[in-house]
Amino acid sequence: QKEVEQNSGPLSVPEGAIASLNCTYSDRGSQSFFWYRQYSGKSPELIMFIYSNGDKEDGRFTAQLNKASQYVSLLIRDSQPSDSATYLCAVNNPGGATNKLIFGTGTLLAVQP
Amino acid sequence: NAGVTQTPKFQVLKTGQSMTLQCAQDMNHNSMYWYRQDPGMGLRLIYYSASEGTTDKGEVPNGYNVSRLNKREFSLRLESAAPSQTSVYFCACRWDRWADTQYFGPGTRLTVL
């Protein structure tokens, strides 16, 4: 079992719809969770992070965390073609003095005009 | 304020050649990381440095060496390049042990023939 799992997609949604991206993780000790967006040929850029159970909203983006079920999700409201990218879920690795991030393989989102 | 810079952007090597990938950050962050990204594999940690003068192996360290020259610079060396090291390499930095957000450089696309 991979430590961080994501559906590779592509996830295709029409412009203006809600895109829902999901991620599950295996280490119950993980404490912080991140969503990165990566455009083709570019480096990952941080969209949101979440530490506590529940929802965290930032503009059109909402991160949701359920530690009991070990999943984290990202909702993108009013999806735009510019949101088309690969979305990487990352989970901290609590072992060791320096926290490391474990990344999923990413979900490709395609927003259709 | 350039953030995280990497050189070169592109490189082609022949099997057995050596080279050093350079990374520098002006964010005054303590921790620095080297990842490689391959299709279907996601981001995998090669080496990291929690602070100046310290380095540790990540998930895929074989065939690589690193040097944390000072707080700003963290280099990755391939002593004898192999085709399996064809990948996109990203450097990242993070402020301190309690703040997990990592910021990525633009990447180096390496091809080994």
Side-chain angles (χ1 to χ4, degrees):
Chain A
Q1 180 188 5
K2 293 182 181 177
E3 295 184 68
V4 179
E5 293 207 48
Q6 296 180 257
N7 188 319
S8 61
L11 173 65
S12 183
V13 300
E15 184 175 354
I18 296 175
S20 178
L21 304 160
N22 300 311
C23 171
T24 58
Y25 61 95
S26 61
D27 191 335
R28 286 193 172 273
S30 298
Q31 298 174 347
S32 48
F33 307 86
F34 303 82
W35 283 100
Y36 284 81
R37 177 176 63 198
Q38 186 175 25
Y39 292 113
S40 180
K42 301 296 185 181
S43 59
E45 57 177 326
L46 182 70
I47 299 176
M48 293 191 69
F49 60 88
I50 185 167
Y51 297 148
S52 303
N53 274 330
D55 295 358
K56 179 181 179 182
E57 187 174 317
D58 184 0
R60 296 187 296 112
F61 299 95
T62 299
Q64 299 175 318
L65 174 61
N66 184 323
K67 290 186 178 181
S69 299
Q70 294 177 250
Y71 84 79
V72 57
S73 61
L74 180 70
L75 301 179
I76 305 174
R77 291 181 299 281
D78 188 24
S79 295
Q80 301 297 309
S82 59
D83 294 325
S84 297
T86 297
Y87 289 80
L88 304 172
C89 173
V91 175
N92 85 311
N93 179 346
T98 299
N99 282 335
K100 296 177 286 186
L101 292 182
I102 307 299
F103 285 85
T105 54
T107 297
L108 177 62
L109 173 66
V111 180
Q112 307 300 326
Chain B
N1 185 345
V4 183
T5 58
Q6 292 183 237
T7 56
K9 287 185 169 54
F10 301 94
Q11 183 70 49
V12 178
L13 293 177
K14 294 181 180 178
T15 297
Q17 288 184 316
S18 62
M19 78 160 296
T20 300
L21 281 64
Q22 306 286 354
C23 174
Q25 51 100 0
D26 62 4
M27 304 173 77
N28 200 34
H29 285 190
N30 292 317
S31 300
M32 297 186 74
Y33 304 80
W34 276 107
Y35 293 90
R36 60 178 289 174
Q37 188 174 38
D38 304 291
M41 300 293 290
L43 282 160
R44 293 183 291 170
L45 183 64
I46 305 172
Y47 271 94
Y48 66 100
S49 170
S51 62
E52 184 179 350
T54 68
T55 60
D56 285 287
K57 295 178 180 179
E59 181 185 355
V60 288
N62 291 344
Y64 305 95
N65 285 301
V66 291
S67 296
R68 183 73 181 270
L69 305 171
N70 47 55
K71 189 172 185 178
R72 290 186 64 250
E73 298 172 291
F74 189 37
S75 63
L76 179 71
R77 183 161 179 83
L78 287 70
E79 291 291 351
S80 179
S84 61
Q85 295 178 305
T86 294
S87 187
V88 181
Y89 291 85
F90 288 104
C91 176
C93 64
R94 181 172 69 89
W95 183 40
D96 65 23
R97 62 186 300 175
W98 304 117
D100 296 326
T101 302
Q102 294 186 15
Y103 298 90
F104 285 81
T108 294
R109 188 173 295 273
L110 175 67
T111 300
V112 183
L113 302 175

